[in-house]
Amino acid sequence: MYKLAVYDWTQVSTPAALTPANLANDTNGNDPSQPSYDPSAPSWTGVTYTYLGGSPTSIKVIDDDGVFQDGYVETGTPATLAEDVTISGVTYAAGSIVENEFALVDAGGSEVWVIRIGGVNVGFAPQVPYYAIPAGVTFSPVEARDGDAAASSDGISSDTAYSGVICFGAQTSIATPEGARRADSLVAGDLVLTADHGPQPLIWVAHSHVRLEDRNDPARPILCPKDAFGSGVPERDLILSPQHRVLLSGPALDTEGDQLAPVCGLLGLPRLRVMYGLRRVTYVHLLLERHAILSSEGVASESFYPGPMALRALDGATGRQAAGQVSRDPARPMLSRAQAEALVEQARIERRRGGSKGADWLRVAAFADITSPVRRNLRLQVG
């Protein structure tokens, strides 16, 4: 079972051009770059939406494949409501089909999904799973995504894993100038080592205590056992949230250089597994002034990367300070889960072929490797 937070249309100020009929019935964002663009109909992009405050409605969804999709590209059985839910005064019965009808994306890469229940669009599910969005927060999409990537304005599918949290397990060792520190012992102001900029201070640290309700809970952590990626990589068992990105390197990426991939997309690699036995997990979010590559148990992995709305939704003085300081430029290009899974599958093929590619065709990078003088010089030459 999965949970989604839905802001219904009464909680969002929408552009006047989008009538109640558009909000309820449109099946795509009608961006001018989409093949299906209709110039006589309003577009959901190039406009601004404003959140009006209030808590979202939590809906519980049953889905057999862990991927939230539009109905016409659904890879498994249709996603359905696990229990009755009332949104905007309308009650939708358990068993009603739930769809990721289409997605909107702003210039910073933050994504919002239009949720459809029983054939009606009921509201937004934004990429901010652990915050209530304060009144006045705005969202200005520039791209519209459909279930079929070919029908999207940017060529990327709206499909998404149900879990979006990016964080470390509490006991993960993070490299600092004074040596390794447990993630849950770090506080704002502490220095951590980064691959590109040396020691950098944390400007925000938060803990999420997550209760794992069933086997298919999307927040279930992924275990990367000691030595899973090579001798000493990781140095100890590494526990990450499903969407936490680690750095990939190797000939598979030689045209683009090292890239970040969500660990949920790497489950096809030997020894990685979902931790089904846990009932609770504590995750730690580490935010720096700029997105960075950190050392977690010796593995090159990312610091917390908030989308623009997640950043604006940070509460109080800390949120205001972060909003003024944090760069939204990613430390490396980012792969989607589907892209990572495709690379892992190709890596299997290359390993079977052996030869010059073999096991090193695609690998998870050690922090020590990417901070070596040779690698630093290569990045400078490429950049």
Side-chain angles (χ1 to χ4, degrees):
M1 186 183 303
Y2 305 100
K3 287 184 178 180
L4 296 174
V6 178
Y7 290 84
D8 66 50
W9 300 129
T10 69
Q11 295 176 289
V12 183
S13 175
T14 56
L18 291 173
T19 67
N22 293 125
L23 295 176
N25 301 318
D26 283 2
T27 58
N28 64 70
N30 200 37
D31 183 88
S33 297
Q34 289 184 278
S36 60
Y37 175 63
D38 178 0
S40 67
S43 175
W44 290 62
T45 62
V47 292
T48 296
Y49 303 82
T50 303
Y51 288 89
L52 303 177
S55 298
T57 299
S58 178
I59 66 172
K60 294 181 179 180
V61 178
I62 298 171
D63 197 340
D64 64 350
D65 60 6
V67 181
F68 191 33
Q69 297 171 298
D70 195 353
Y72 82 102
V73 296
E74 177 64 62
T75 54
T77 57
T80 58
L81 285 178
E83 59 188 26
D84 294 359
V85 65
T86 300
I87 300 176
S88 298
V90 178
T91 298
Y92 299 88
S96 298
I97 292 177
V98 182
E99 299 177 74
N100 168 358
E101 190 60 25
F102 57 94
L104 304 172
V105 188
D106 72 8
S110 185
E111 194 165 6
V112 163
W113 294 274
V114 173
I115 306 302
R116 193 175 186 91
I117 303 178
V120 178
N121 299 334
V122 297
F124 282 155
Q127 196 176 20
V128 192
Y130 290 98
Y131 303 100
I133 300 177
V137 169
T138 59
F139 175 64
S140 302
V142 297
E143 304 284 359
R145 292 176 179 169
D146 194 72
D148 181 357
S152 301
S153 65
D154 60 359
I156 299 174
S157 170
S158 62
D159 290 3
T160 185
Y162 282 94
S163 175
V165 62
I166 300 171
C167 38
F168 296 98
Q171 298 182 17
T172 300
S173 291
I174 305 296
T176 78
E178 289 75 36
R181 293 266 306 274
R182 276 177 51 135
D184 61 359
S185 74
L186 295 168
V187 297
D190 285 346
L191 295 177
V192 293
L193 293 180
T194 71
D196 301 320
H197 305 288
Q200 294 293 314
L202 294 166
I203 65 169
W204 176 72
V205 177
H207 297 183
S208 294
H209 305 286
V210 181
R211 181 178 178 179
L212 304 169
E213 296 194 350
D214 56 42
R215 181 179 177 85
N216 294 319
D217 195 305
R220 282 201 174 278
I222 291 175
L223 174 66
C224 307
K226 181 180 183 295
D227 300 329
F229 308 130
S231 180
V233 189
E235 297 164 351
R236 302 187 311 158
D237 287 356
L238 173 62
I239 297 173
L240 298 173
S241 64
Q243 294 298 319
H244 201 120
R245 300 177 185 91
V246 296
L247 194 67
L248 298 182
S249 63
L253 306 170
D254 58 3
T255 60
E256 299 291 339
D258 298 347
Q259 298 181 52
L260 288 161
V263 70
C264 62
L266 305 179
L267 283 169
L269 293 177
R271 302 183 61 199
L272 268 64
R273 66 177 179 85
V274 178
M275 300 182 74
Y276 289 115
L278 293 183
R279 288 189 170 186
R280 292 178 177 83
V281 64
T282 296
Y283 287 132
V284 180
H285 315 263
L286 304 177
L287 180 68
L288 288 83
E289 291 184 357
R290 68 183 86 187
H291 191 227
I293 306 297
L294 308 180
S295 174
S296 54
E297 304 293 359
V299 173
S301 59
E302 67 173 339
S303 62
F304 181 60
Y305 181 75
M309 281 196 302
L311 184 61
R312 290 195 292 267
L314 297 180
D315 292 332
T318 300
R320 291 192 293 272
Q321 179 187 29
Q325 294 182 0
V326 172
S327 166
R328 296 168 190 164
D329 294 330
R332 297 290 188 281
M334 294 179 175
L335 299 171
S336 68
R337 176 178 183 169
Q339 290 171 321
E341 289 173 339
L343 282 172
V344 168
E345 179 58 31
Q346 187 60 36
R348 287 176 178 166
I349 296 172
E350 297 299 338
R351 280 197 298 271
R352 287 197 294 268
R353 289 175 178 170
S356 59
K357 293 181 178 178
D360 286 337
W361 189 78
L362 178 72
R363 58 184 177 273
V364 175
F367 184 81
D369 289 343
I370 66 166
T371 54
S372 70
V374 172
R375 291 297 296 270
R376 284 200 301 270
N377 289 338
L378 284 174
R379 285 201 303 275
L380 287 172
Q381 291 169 18
V382 172

